[in-house]
Amino acid sequence: MIAAIPGGGPYNSARAIARLGEAVAWIGGLSSDRFGRDLEAGLVADGVALDLVQRTEHPTTLALAELDSEAVATYRIY
């Protein structure tokens, strides 16, 4: 099974800070591809300011986690 789950340390932290009611802004880049739009939607939904976002046509970096029979993860970054 493959499931797309938006995340990453800075992304998760920004959303958590916003959910706690604190002012926070995303200052990184966001792709115009589908994954970038999904990331942006999550930030907007939680109230993260996007004034400093740099939009890009570069593809969103994807991390694929694959679990073996013992639930040990192997990662591939695209």
Side-chain angles (χ1 to χ4, degrees):
M1 176 175 108
I2 296 176
I5 301 171
Y11 178 81
N12 294 339
S13 296
R15 291 181 71 195
I17 292 166
R19 289 177 189 168
L20 291 171
E22 297 297 324
V24 61
W26 183 259
I27 60 171
L30 285 173
S31 177
S32 61
D33 66 14
R34 187 191 117 205
F35 296 112
R37 291 190 307 272
D38 288 348
L39 291 169
E40 182 173 342
L43 293 168
V44 168
D46 288 326
V48 177
L50 301 180
D51 302 336
L52 303 173
V53 167
Q54 293 188 2
R55 312 278 178 199
T56 179
E57 295 298 318
H58 296 292
T60 297
T61 301
L62 303 177
L64 177 67
E66 188 173 357
L67 300 177
D68 67 14
S69 61
E70 296 178 10
V72 175
T74 302
Y75 299 93
R76 293 191 178 104
I77 308 299
Y78 298 96

